[in-house]
Each structure stands twice: as C-alpha cells, then as structure tokens.
Amino acid sequence: MADLKRRRRPHLVSTPVRKKGVVTIPQEIREQLDLQEGDQLVVAVEDGRIVLTPASVIPDDQAWFWSPAWQKKEAEVDQDLAQGERGEVFQDGEEFLQSLADEAGLDLGEIKRRADV
C-alpha cells in the first residue's frame, strides 16, 4: 500500500478557533480582499460551512463621497462656511448652468441642443 502521508494543499489555508470564537483571517487573504481593521463581515452558514463576506456599510454607488479626495473638499467647504463664506449664489437653474458652461468654456445652447433639453 502506498505511503499515506498527509498531502499538503497549498491552496488551502487553515486557522484555529481561539477562545470566545476568535479567528484570525490570514494576512494574504486580508490583502487580497483589502480587509482593514474595523471592517464588517457578514457571517452565514451555507451547506455546513461558515461563510464570511465583507459587508459594505456604504453602498458601492455612494463610495465616491467617502474617498479621501472628496472628503478633503467637504472639509474645505465646511471651513469656508464656518468663516462665513457662502460661495456663489444663483437666482435660478439657468444661471447656474450658464456659469458651469462658461467655466468649462462651452456654449450652453449647444449643450442643450445635444442633450435635447
């Protein structure tokens, strides 16, 4: 009979269950899934297996708002408002759109024609 040594399965990673059910997710898996300390996981049992799924507390279509670049801009606006600065105020939507078109160097009439507005 062939030698029945335990075969190593390099594609499988095991981790012990510690006191109070604590499990450490191996670093290579945390890196692959971009898991950070404090991230939430959904825990489920499927076909007799424990399944951990990263939970997105912020819907994916709103994640842009929480990006560092956007949050920096939000902080700048908050600071400006705290100093009493209001920014530019427009009387109506048309005036606002014209301002955007001027800033971009575009013709508002042409934009409206192309957009069928």
Side-chain angles (χ1 to χ4, degrees), residues 82-100:
Q83 294 173 356
E85 295 180 32
R86 272 190 69 186
E88 194 169 352
V89 178
F90 300 96
Q91 299 304 313
D92 56 36
E94 186 75 19
E95 186 181 347
F96 172 65
L97 291 175
Q98 184 62 59
S99 172
L100 291 177

Side-chain angles (χ1 to χ4, degrees), residues 33-58:
L33 296 175
D34 192 28
L35 292 174
Q36 305 295 322
E37 182 176 347
D39 286 353
Q40 296 288 310
L41 299 172
V42 174
V43 182
V45 176
E46 295 178 6
D47 298 324
R49 290 181 271 176
I50 299 169
V51 179
L52 302 175
T53 306
S56 180
V57 178
I58 301 168

Side-chain angles (χ1 to χ4, degrees), residues 60-116:
D60 291 340
D61 65 343
Q62 296 175 19
W64 59 269
F65 181 81
W66 299 103
S67 68
W70 193 271
Q71 286 300 299
K72 181 180 176 188
K73 292 176 185 179
E74 288 288 326
E76 290 172 6
V77 168
D78 289 343
Q79 184 177 0
D80 289 346
L81 288 172
Q83 294 173 356
E85 295 180 32
R86 272 190 69 186
E88 194 169 352
V89 178
F90 300 96
Q91 299 304 313
D92 56 36
E94 186 75 19
E95 186 181 347
F96 172 65
L97 291 175
Q98 184 62 59
S99 172
L100 291 177
D102 292 346
E103 191 174 309
L106 301 171
D107 177 60
L108 182 58
E110 179 63 22
I111 292 170
K112 285 182 172 185
R113 280 190 292 284
R114 289 183 181 199
D116 293 323

Side-chain angles (χ1 to χ4, degrees), residues 10-23:
H11 63 285
L12 297 179
V13 179
S14 66
T15 186
V17 177
R18 295 191 175 86
K19 192 174 185 177
K20 296 186 180 183
V22 173
V23 175

